Amino acid sequence: MGNCIVPYCDGPKSTNIRWTLPAVCFVWQTAMIILFGVFVRYNGESDAHWAEFKMARNITSDIDNDFYFRYPSFQDVHVMIFVGFGFLMTFLKRYSFGGVGFNFLVAAFGLQWALLMQGWFHSLDYTDGMIKIGIENLINADFCVAGCLIAYGAVLGKVSPVQLMVMTLFGITLFAVEEYIISDLLHARDAGGSMVIHIFGGYYGLAISWVLYRPNLKESSQLQGSVYHSDVFAMIGTLFLWMFWPSFNSATCDHGDGQHRAAINTYLSLAATVLTTFAISSLSQKHGKLDMVHIQNSTLAGGVAVGTAAEFMLMPYGSLIVGFCCGLLSTLGYLYITPFMEKKLKIQDTCGIHNLHAMPVGKLYLLYLTPAVQGGYQAAAMCVAVCFGIGGGTLVGLILRMPIWGDVTDDNCFNDEFYWEVPDEEEIVVPVLEYNNHMTPNKHTDM
Amino acid sequence: MGNCIVPYCDGPKSTNIRWTLPAVCFVWQTAMIILFGVFVRYNGESDAHWAEFKMARNITSDIDNDFYFRYPSFQDVHVMIFVGFGFLMTFLKRYSFGGVGFNFLVAAFGLQWALLMQGWFHSLDYTDGMIKIGIENLINADFCVAGCLIAYGAVLGKVSPVQLMVMTLFGITLFAVEEYIISDLLHARDAGGSMVIHIFGGYYGLAISWVLYRPNLKESSQLQGSVYHSDVFAMIGTLFLWMFWPSFNSATCDHGDGQHRAAINTYLSLAATVLTTFAISSLSQKHGKLDMVHIQNSTLAGGVAVGTAAEFMLMPYGSLIVGFCCGLLSTLGYLYITPFMEKKLKIQDTCGIHNLHAMPVGKLYLLYLTPAVQGGYQAAAMCVAVCFGIGGGTLVGLILRMPIWGDVTDDNCFNDEFYWEVPDEEEIVVPVLEYNNHMTPNKHTDM
Amino acid sequence: MGNCIVPYCDGPKSTNIRWTLPAVCFVWQTAMIILFGVFVRYNGESDAHWAEFKMARNITSDIDNDFYFRYPSFQDVHVMIFVGFGFLMTFLKRYSFGGVGFNFLVAAFGLQWALLMQGWFHSLDYTDGMIKIGIENLINADFCVAGCLIAYGAVLGKVSPVQLMVMTLFGITLFAVEEYIISDLLHARDAGGSMVIHIFGGYYGLAISWVLYRPNLKESSQLQGSVYHSDVFAMIGTLFLWMFWPSFNSATCDHGDGQHRAAINTYLSLAATVLTTFAISSLSQKHGKLDMVHIQNSTLAGGVAVGTAAEFMLMPYGSLIVGFCCGLLSTLGYLYITPFMEKKLKIQDTCGIHNLHAMPVGKLYLLYLTPAVQGGYQAAAMCVAVCFGIGGGTLVGLILRMPIWGDVTDDNCFNDEFYWEVPDEEEIVVPVLEYNNHMTPNKHTDM
């Protein structure tokens, strides 16, 4: 049935991924195993020789193993990637399986590929040519994956899982190169990866969405919305992203005050964002009613923006100012920029990632907070991120336009039916009925 | 539409918050920025001068930064505040947005105001008159917010977001003063803040609910209940509160055995509570059926009660005894005290916070466990908490009765429609239908 | 109504647990309090004498208290037990209350009994005959509980809460003995407890399900399935299990590189499992559609299998290979073994725990990875686990067949109505209607 040939929609299309998806999964996973076998080993702190490693560095206690500095933050970041991003994308009424399920798939592949790509650039041990991994590599792999999941937000409901895998493969690759240029060549500070992750991921997704423009998407409009409970599910994603963002921005900071300060700055920035988001959301509606789309997304903008400078001495009030502006700008983005982009620029941004991740104003604001010279490098880094995002996204978008990936037609977007075995909803009444019949005749007479 | 003028309900009322809510958010957030600019800085462990700070105190490793002692517990507490309390309040069939959404708003504001209020009382650096914040301040701010969220439980579905903001502003203020008296003047031990947080928060909410008594609330009765999935959502809140309560009670304890013991005591007390809650819940129903209201709330009572003495040498069996009694008392409270309070005392307690947070018996029990003299101070502290709760709540309740806050009429309570853009539920069937028509005619013939 | 006497189903049965459940809860909890009073005390690191303890061992900083090495992992494991297992079992359309609720009950009882049983075997202080508990005991108690929750998966929806309590009482007891034999007598390594927990729990549950075979279960078939949102709820459980499995496998490893390496190995193994699971799931369906049952369960197989050897020097590629095979085997298990077991072996496995926990192939694979001699002990340990599981399960199953436990008839399985007060689903439309009438006449004219 997913294999429908619908004559009246733009050209017959097959959504059958029975061969392509398994092929991609098996081949790529096998490739990962081989490449890991050739290139990846444990680093000094995760290897059985930790005892010697410790002695050689006069480390007195096991607690000084980097694992204990970073593992709690790593687990928080891990939750953000799989539950945070995953559930944030369950808001569509009939695409919750695809939202959380495909997020799961591409993240699981992405982190393996990221360990390799980032390893070659940052963790290569030149004595034996091996990539040596530890807890910090896992965190960075999750960061790298975040960039691709942000991009997924722009095309949510409009692409096949195979296309998502391709997006991820190229996305991680571009990310690693871009990150290398920004952090190693330009030496720009980017603790929470505002630029490396969010600017790149945002523009990467928008560019792909632009190339994959769907002229008749309105024919799917009845599914491009939420239902009551799908909005509550999405709040799970929002809250876990919001709560753990301090870990996201502090996870890879310097031990001690660096991590400590980054967590405080992010905590404060996010708090301020919530208030301005609620304010603008209410202000924008005829009767002051709040819009779940804003609450689910714009409340996170403060964490994105403060990321670049999370460990700087922003001062608590500085963090609040960043958050204040981001909530305001992001919500306005949903109100004015997203519709404009769709109508004028032909960019269909399902989750409005532009307003949360790509919009540069929040960051530009930050640049003014940071010392001028450093700000110069930040600006250069910003350009690199934007160029990689738009350039890479356009290229990948063209690849994804090939008719072999099993994506749906414009009138069948945002529908899990094509890639998932979806249970019949009607049956939900059966238990109630069957139950009223012979078990509680009295119950309904009471009423 | 939120702006309904309903003649037959008690006086025409406007639920339009388009100007009041944004005004409150913008003005108060701006005030926060200014006050933080004037008063708040980083403390020795989160400041860039940590290196000197470390040397001055002969601290050998960065791992001895308080951040690493408390950050994991902080994140757990943070989850309790936003996901725990937030989802616990999604149980109402048509007020899930308000439950989790307004919880998000007031908590985000409350923690900022709490950092200031508590800072002036506890973290003021007299050398420069600045409040110096670190990870422990963030935890205490979350604690402070918890008190107000408990109060929210009593008025859930009956107040406007603007009223909640006012409740929070005064609640945090009263909390900080009460906390100062209890901990600094009476020197009462209250690790998990059983008194400072739960007793105060509980009575504060009940007093407000009493002043805001709604005579015709039964007209909203069809919405004052759950549906199947909203009860499952509420279990998310229950479980995260239950699981992380050991962190809540140990987060600010002394390093080492203090934190260690507090976690163990809370873990055990909560386990015992679950069994007695299930027992009483089953015993109370004609056919032994369990009631989700009890499971969602009373199972947490053990964590509340053990809080005061969490780091004492209660002994494992002592903790179990506390939990045993609390589950029993709390569930009985839902069965007998809540209905009594509504009928006789005219106190409408939506979430039954009295049985979970305010009921003092569980704590009185604890006092008997603690040495007599210390018990004396505990009792005095208890009185302070109760007085601040009832007194402050009554005052704030009167303020909230002013007709300017945009709250709903008695017959429109527990309904998200007035403050949120709620998606149309009908549409959920559309995909199934539309899908059956032209895509899977075969599917239903199969069946 | 729970007390239905249905003539046409196999013999009249009462599902009234009004006396049995409370009795079991009260008596057993009281027994726990007495036994804890007689046997359980704090250990050196959670006792108030920590200061002397520290001095005696030349421990310089409080951070070297085992609490700080293990507490973050403990909390992750705790989340896996209550939210992970709990929500994984909410997938049934009308048994979500029972899935998450009974999981909550038996886990809360089980961890207390586990602290005692494991304490007598592993934490007995022979100087005073007391069990001395600390954070590691809490983790092990949670592990022990996991074994019983796995067994619950096989009988989900077919047993009463009283039967579950009995299952747990015996399960924990058998577990502790089996664990003692495997770890203390055979000295087999089993960090993540692949054998001790998963093999035992799996076969224990399957044996019970076999003895409790229900010939007419198909009469409940309309309820033995999911609905759209119950599948999304189940994904919460899946993801928290998946994300925190690295903590599960590393929580009790040696400090330093042991914990570090176990986390890395598990992280990698699980990532590979996801890809092969999606591949086989898609490959198995006529149109390549994915099956939520596979995604919710098989994606976790990699964590189970790598558990035994999590802290070994598996090498990153080794972990990937384990994960690769497990996802493949587990998904095939759901496709071929589960139906076979139900038809031929008369074993009804609701959650398909055989494919996730019991299937030994993944582990056998591991044995080949581990040195031969050690492998010998591993094999012996495996036998012990299997024997205890099947033997114990059969015995307990026979006890559970007594007609006194209040379980439902074959045609009433997977239905919360018998043990829970379930809200009426119809009412959900009421707000929308009532709201359309007098509040937003304009809204629908717009459309």
Side-chain angles (χ1 to χ4, degrees):
Chain A
M1 39 202 153
N3 198 354
C4 80
I5 306 302
V6 194
Y8 56 76
C9 59
D10 52 336
K13 267 193 171 188
S14 165
T15 60
N16 191 334
I17 52 170
R18 188 178 183 185
W19 303 111
T20 45
L21 184 60
V24 166
C25 291
F26 276 126
V27 175
W28 294 5
Q29 185 59 60
T30 310
M32 288 302 131
I33 293 173
I34 296 164
L35 288 167
F36 270 67
V38 179
F39 290 106
V40 185
R41 296 294 179 269
Y42 304 113
N43 72 10
E45 310 199 84
S46 57
D47 189 274
H49 297 81
W50 156 248
E52 294 98 85
F53 182 92
K54 210 166 63 171
M55 215 169 298
R57 283 162 183 65
N58 302 319
I59 297 171
T60 57
S61 165
D62 283 328
I63 198 85
D64 283 305
N65 187 306
D66 197 39
F67 180 78
Y68 301 103
F69 284 92
R70 307 205 182 275
Y71 190 68
S73 314
F74 157 68
Q75 276 295 11
D76 294 346
V77 172
H78 216 39
V79 171
M80 292 172 74
I81 298 298
F82 291 89
V83 163
F85 282 103
F87 272 84
L88 188 59
M89 294 196 276
T90 58
F91 77 98
L92 288 168
K93 65 176 63 132
R94 286 314 254 186
Y95 205 73
S96 302
F97 288 8
V100 67
F102 296 151
N103 179 86
F104 192 17
L105 173 64
V106 299
F109 164 69
L111 59 86
Q112 298 177 60
W113 182 225
L115 279 171
L116 283 165
M117 285 301 301
Q118 294 182 310
W120 283 315
F121 283 116
H122 298 103
S123 309
L124 207 55
D125 177 340
Y126 294 102
T127 62
D128 58 6
M130 289 291 185
I131 296 167
K132 301 294 173 71
I133 64 170
I135 189 68
E136 192 164 356
N137 299 73
L138 306 194
I139 297 169
N140 282 314
D142 275 9
F143 282 173
C144 194
V145 164
C148 296
L149 297 181
I150 289 164
Y152 179 24
V155 296
L156 180 69
K158 301 176 294 182
V159 294
S160 75
V162 186
Q163 287 176 307
L164 284 174
M165 290 293 280
V166 176
M167 263 180 68
T168 308
L169 178 72
F170 287 102
I172 301 284
T173 317
L174 290 160
F175 181 101
V177 179
E178 166 236 25
E179 182 187 41
Y180 175 73
I181 297 171
I182 290 177
S183 64
D184 295 39
L185 303 187
L186 295 173
H187 299 294
R189 300 301 300 277
D190 194 26
S194 285
M195 293 177 298
V196 173
I197 299 169
H198 299 282
I199 292 278
F200 166 76
Y203 284 107
Y204 181 64
L206 291 171
I208 292 173
S209 188
W210 174 69
V211 178
L212 298 180
Y213 179 69
R214 289 173 171 278
N216 308 315
L217 193 60
K218 64 188 173 318
E219 290 177 25
S220 297
S221 60
Q222 84 236 3
L223 289 185
Q224 192 174 11
S226 63
V227 285
Y228 198 68
H229 282 164
S230 69
D231 268 326
V232 182
F233 276 119
M235 281 304 291
I236 296 173
T238 300
L239 289 173
F240 275 102
L241 285 169
W242 192 91
M243 297 181 300
F244 289 160
W245 218 293
S247 297
F248 193 91
N249 288 347
S250 66
T252 58
C253 292
D254 300 338
H255 292 170
D257 64 301
Q259 278 187 288
H260 200 153
R261 192 163 53 251
I264 295 172
N265 288 336
T266 311
Y267 171 92
L268 291 171
S269 176
L270 283 163
T273 309
V274 174
L275 272 82
T276 46
T277 300
F278 271 79
I280 300 291
S281 183
S282 175
L283 205 53
S284 67
Q285 296 289 338
K286 194 149 150 273
H287 295 289
K289 295 190 181 188
L290 297 157
D291 187 333
M292 262 293 171
V293 173
H294 306 151
I295 309 308
Q296 285 162 5
N297 295 280
S298 297
T299 48
L300 302 167
V304 174
V306 84
T308 304
E311 63 184 312
F312 291 176
M313 290 291 287
L314 290 180
M315 291 303 144
Y317 69 88
S319 309
L320 289 179
I321 293 169
V322 173
F324 186 98
C325 302
C326 292
L328 196 145
L329 292 164
S330 177
T331 316
L332 289 173
Y334 277 95
L335 291 165
Y336 303 108
I337 300 176
T338 304
F340 168 82
M341 279 172 44
E342 176 143 8
K343 282 195 195 55
K344 299 281 172 294
L345 309 183
K346 304 287 181 218
I347 299 175
Q348 294 156 329
D349 183 0
T350 309
C351 299
I353 64 167
H354 174 271
N355 315 307
L356 177 50
H357 303 283
M359 201 192 291
V361 195
K363 290 99 196 168
L364 287 175
Y365 190 87
L366 260 174
L367 297 182
Y368 140 78
L369 278 179
T370 58
V373 53
Q374 179 66 12
Y377 287 108
Q378 302 291 85
M382 189 80 63
C383 298
V384 176
V386 174
C387 297
F388 266 77
I390 295 178
T394 313
L395 229 78
V396 173
L398 291 170
I399 296 168
L400 296 182
R401 286 185 64 171
M402 293 160 66
I404 61 175
W405 307 120
D407 53 324
V408 295
T409 55
D410 293 10
D411 58 339
N412 292 321
C413 290
F414 316 116
N415 192 342
D416 276 328
E417 302 285 350
F418 295 96
Y419 305 117
W420 298 87
E421 289 294 331
V422 178
D424 293 328
E425 212 57 42
E426 300 93 305
E427 294 189 14
I428 194 167
V429 292
V430 179
V432 183
L433 296 176
E434 178 262 12
Y435 150 83
N436 294 343
N437 298 349
H438 69 282
M439 270 174 295
T440 62
N442 57 320
K443 186 164 190 176
H444 281 249
T445 52
D446 298 344
M447 299 162 80
Chain B
M1 37 200 153
N3 198 352
C4 81
I5 305 303
V6 192
Y8 55 78
C9 56
D10 51 333
K13 270 192 169 189
S14 164
T15 61
N16 191 333
I17 52 169
R18 189 179 182 183
W19 303 111
T20 45
L21 184 60
V24 165
C25 290
F26 276 127
V27 175
W28 294 6
Q29 186 57 60
T30 310
M32 288 301 130
I33 292 174
I34 296 164
L35 289 167
F36 269 68
V38 179
F39 290 107
V40 185
R41 297 293 179 267
Y42 304 113
N43 72 11
E45 310 199 84
S46 56
D47 189 274
H49 296 82
W50 156 247
E52 295 98 85
F53 180 91
K54 209 168 61 171
M55 214 169 299
R57 284 162 183 64
N58 302 318
I59 297 171
T60 57
S61 165
D62 282 327
I63 197 85
D64 283 305
N65 187 306
D66 196 39
F67 180 78
Y68 301 102
F69 284 92
R70 307 204 183 276
Y71 190 69
S73 315
F74 158 68
Q75 275 295 11
D76 294 346
V77 172
H78 216 38
V79 171
M80 292 172 74
I81 298 298
F82 291 89
V83 164
F85 282 103
F87 273 84
L88 188 59
M89 294 196 275
T90 58
F91 76 98
L92 288 168
K93 66 176 62 131
R94 286 315 255 183
Y95 206 74
S96 301
F97 288 8
V100 66
F102 296 150
N103 179 85
F104 192 18
L105 172 64
V106 298
F109 164 69
L111 59 87
Q112 298 178 60
W113 182 224
L115 279 171
L116 284 164
M117 286 301 300
Q118 294 182 311
W120 282 315
F121 282 116
H122 298 102
S123 309
L124 206 56
D125 177 341
Y126 294 102
T127 62
D128 58 6
M130 289 291 185
I131 296 166
K132 300 295 173 71
I133 64 170
I135 189 68
E136 192 165 354
N137 298 75
L138 306 194
I139 297 170
N140 282 315
D142 275 8
F143 282 173
C144 193
V145 164
C148 296
L149 297 182
I150 289 164
Y152 178 24
V155 296
L156 180 70
K158 302 176 295 183
V159 294
S160 75
V162 187
Q163 286 175 307
L164 283 174
M165 290 294 280
V166 176
M167 262 178 70
T168 309
L169 178 73
F170 287 102
I172 300 285
T173 316
L174 291 160
F175 181 100
V177 178
E178 167 235 26
E179 182 187 41
Y180 175 73
I181 297 170
I182 290 176
S183 65
D184 295 41
L185 303 188
L186 295 173
H187 299 293
R189 300 303 298 277
D190 193 28
S194 285
M195 292 177 298
V196 173
I197 299 168
H198 299 282
I199 292 278
F200 166 75
Y203 284 107
Y204 181 62
L206 291 171
I208 292 173
S209 187
W210 175 67
V211 177
L212 298 180
Y213 179 69
R214 288 173 171 279
N216 309 316
L217 193 60
K218 64 189 172 318
E219 290 176 25
S220 297
S221 60
Q222 85 235 3
L223 289 184
Q224 192 174 10
S226 63
V227 284
Y228 198 69
H229 282 163
S230 69
D231 268 326
V232 182
F233 276 121
M235 281 304 291
I236 296 174
T238 300
L239 289 173
F240 275 102
L241 285 169
W242 193 91
M243 297 180 300
F244 289 161
W245 218 293
S247 298
F248 192 92
N249 287 348
S250 66
T252 58
C253 293
D254 299 338
H255 292 170
D257 64 301
Q259 277 187 288
H260 200 153
R261 193 164 51 252
I264 295 172
N265 289 337
T266 311
Y267 171 93
L268 291 171
S269 176
L270 283 164
T273 309
V274 174
L275 272 82
T276 45
T277 299
F278 271 78
I280 300 292
S281 183
S282 175
L283 206 53
S284 67
Q285 295 289 338
K286 194 147 149 274
H287 295 290
K289 294 189 181 189
L290 297 158
D291 187 333
M292 263 291 172
V293 173
H294 306 152
I295 310 307
Q296 285 162 6
N297 295 281
S298 298
T299 48
L300 302 167
V304 174
V306 84
T308 305
E311 63 184 312
F312 292 177
M313 288 290 287
L314 290 180
M315 291 303 144
Y317 69 89
S319 309
L320 289 179
I321 293 169
V322 173
F324 186 98
C325 302
C326 292
L328 196 146
L329 292 165
S330 177
T331 315
L332 288 173
Y334 276 95
L335 291 165
Y336 303 108
I337 301 176
T338 304
F340 168 82
M341 278 171 44
E342 177 143 7
K343 282 195 195 56
K344 299 281 173 293
L345 310 183
K346 304 286 180 218
I347 299 175
Q348 294 155 328
D349 182 1
T350 310
C351 298
I353 64 167
H354 175 271
N355 316 307
L356 178 49
H357 303 284
M359 200 191 293
V361 195
K363 291 100 196 168
L364 288 174
Y365 190 87
L366 261 173
L367 297 182
Y368 142 78
L369 279 178
T370 60
V373 52
Q374 179 65 11
Y377 286 108
Q378 301 291 84
M382 188 80 62
C383 298
V384 175
V386 174
C387 297
F388 266 77
I390 295 178
T394 313
L395 228 79
V396 174
L398 291 170
I399 295 169
L400 296 182
R401 285 185 64 171
M402 293 160 65
I404 60 175
W405 307 119
D407 53 326
V408 294
T409 55
D410 293 9
D411 58 337
N412 292 320
C413 290
F414 316 116
N415 192 342
D416 276 328
E417 303 284 351
F418 295 96
Y419 305 117
W420 297 87
E421 289 293 332
V422 178
D424 294 327
E425 212 57 40
E426 298 93 304
E427 293 188 15
I428 194 168
V429 292
V430 178
V432 184
L433 296 176
E434 176 263 8
Y435 152 79
N436 295 342
N437 299 347
H438 70 282
M439 270 174 294
T440 61
N442 59 320
K443 184 166 188 178
H444 281 250
T445 52
D446 295 351
M447 302 161 81
Chain C
M1 38 202 153
N3 199 353
C4 80
I5 306 302
V6 192
Y8 55 77
C9 58
D10 51 334
K13 270 193 169 188
S14 165
T15 60
N16 191 333
I17 52 169
R18 189 178 182 184
W19 304 110
T20 45
L21 184 60
V24 166
C25 290
F26 276 127
V27 175
W28 294 6
Q29 186 57 61
T30 310
M32 288 302 129
I33 292 173
I34 296 165
L35 289 167
F36 269 67
V38 178
F39 290 105
V40 185
R41 297 293 180 268
Y42 303 113
N43 72 11
E45 310 199 82
S46 57
D47 189 274
H49 297 81
W50 157 246
E52 295 99 84
F53 181 92
K54 210 168 61 173
M55 214 169 301
R57 283 162 183 65
N58 302 317
I59 297 171
T60 55
S61 164
D62 282 328
I63 197 84
D64 282 306
N65 186 307
D66 197 39
F67 180 78
Y68 302 102
F69 284 91
R70 306 205 183 277
Y71 191 67
S73 315
F74 158 67
Q75 275 296 10
D76 294 346
V77 172
H78 216 38
V79 171
M80 292 172 74
I81 298 298
F82 291 89
V83 164
F85 281 103
F87 273 83
L88 189 59
M89 294 196 274
T90 58
F91 76 98
L92 289 168
K93 64 176 63 128
R94 285 316 251 186
Y95 206 74
S96 301
F97 288 8
V100 67
F102 295 150
N103 179 85
F104 192 17
L105 172 65
V106 299
F109 163 69
L111 59 86
Q112 298 178 60
W113 182 225
L115 279 171
L116 284 164
M117 284 302 300
Q118 293 182 312
W120 282 315
F121 282 115
H122 298 103
S123 309
L124 207 55
D125 177 341
Y126 294 101
T127 62
D128 59 5
M130 288 291 185
I131 296 166
K132 300 295 173 68
I133 65 170
I135 188 69
E136 192 165 356
N137 299 74
L138 306 194
I139 297 169
N140 282 315
D142 275 8
F143 281 173
C144 193
V145 165
C148 296
L149 297 181
I150 288 163
Y152 179 24
V155 296
L156 181 69
K158 301 177 294 181
V159 294
S160 75
V162 186
Q163 286 176 306
L164 284 174
M165 290 293 279
V166 175
M167 261 179 71
T168 308
L169 178 72
F170 287 102
I172 301 284
T173 315
L174 291 160
F175 181 101
V177 179
E178 166 235 25
E179 181 187 43
Y180 175 73
I181 297 170
I182 290 176
S183 65
D184 295 40
L185 304 187
L186 295 173
H187 301 293
R189 300 302 300 276
D190 194 26
S194 284
M195 292 177 298
V196 173
I197 299 168
H198 299 282
I199 292 278
F200 165 75
Y203 284 107
Y204 181 63
L206 291 171
I208 292 173
S209 188
W210 174 68
V211 177
L212 298 180
Y213 179 69
R214 289 173 170 279
N216 309 316
L217 193 60
K218 63 189 173 319
E219 290 177 26
S220 296
S221 61
Q222 83 235 4
L223 289 185
Q224 193 174 11
S226 63
V227 285
Y228 198 68
H229 282 165
S230 69
D231 268 326
V232 182
F233 276 121
M235 281 304 291
I236 296 173
T238 301
L239 289 174
F240 275 103
L241 285 169
W242 192 91
M243 296 181 301
F244 289 161
W245 217 293
S247 298
F248 193 92
N249 287 348
S250 66
T252 57
C253 292
D254 300 337
H255 292 171
D257 65 301
Q259 277 187 289
H260 200 153
R261 192 164 52 251
I264 295 172
N265 288 337
T266 312
Y267 171 93
L268 291 171
S269 176
L270 283 163
T273 309
V274 174
L275 271 82
T276 45
T277 300
F278 271 79
I280 300 292
S281 183
S282 176
L283 206 52
S284 67
Q285 295 289 339
K286 194 148 147 273
H287 295 290
K289 295 189 181 187
L290 297 158
D291 187 332
M292 263 291 172
V293 173
H294 306 151
I295 310 308
Q296 286 162 5
N297 295 281
S298 297
T299 49
L300 303 167
V304 174
V306 84
T308 305
E311 63 184 311
F312 292 175
M313 289 291 287
L314 288 180
M315 290 304 143
Y317 70 88
S319 309
L320 289 179
I321 293 170
V322 173
F324 186 98
C325 302
C326 292
L328 196 146
L329 292 165
S330 177
T331 316
L332 289 173
Y334 276 95
L335 291 165
Y336 303 108
I337 300 176
T338 304
F340 168 82
M341 278 171 45
E342 176 143 9
K343 282 196 196 55
K344 298 281 173 294
L345 309 183
K346 304 288 180 217
I347 299 174
Q348 294 156 329
D349 182 1
T350 310
C351 298
I353 64 168
H354 175 272
N355 315 306
L356 177 49
H357 303 282
M359 201 191 292
V361 194
K363 291 99 194 171
L364 288 174
Y365 190 88
L366 260 173
L367 298 182
Y368 141 77
L369 279 178
T370 59
V373 53
Q374 179 66 12
Y377 286 109
Q378 301 292 85
M382 188 80 63
C383 297
V384 175
V386 173
C387 297
F388 265 77
I390 296 179
T394 312
L395 228 79
V396 173
L398 291 170
I399 295 168
L400 296 182
R401 284 184 66 170
M402 292 160 65
I404 59 175
W405 307 119
D407 53 325
V408 294
T409 55
D410 293 9
D411 58 338
N412 291 321
C413 290
F414 316 116
N415 192 343
D416 275 328
E417 302 285 351
F418 295 95
Y419 304 117
W420 297 87
E421 290 293 333
V422 177
D424 293 328
E425 212 56 42
E426 300 92 304
E427 293 189 13
I428 195 167
V429 293
V430 178
V432 183
L433 295 177
E434 176 264 11
Y435 152 80
N436 294 342
N437 299 347
H438 70 280
M439 269 174 294
T440 62
N442 58 321
K443 185 166 187 175
H444 280 250
T445 51
D446 294 70
M447 299 161 82

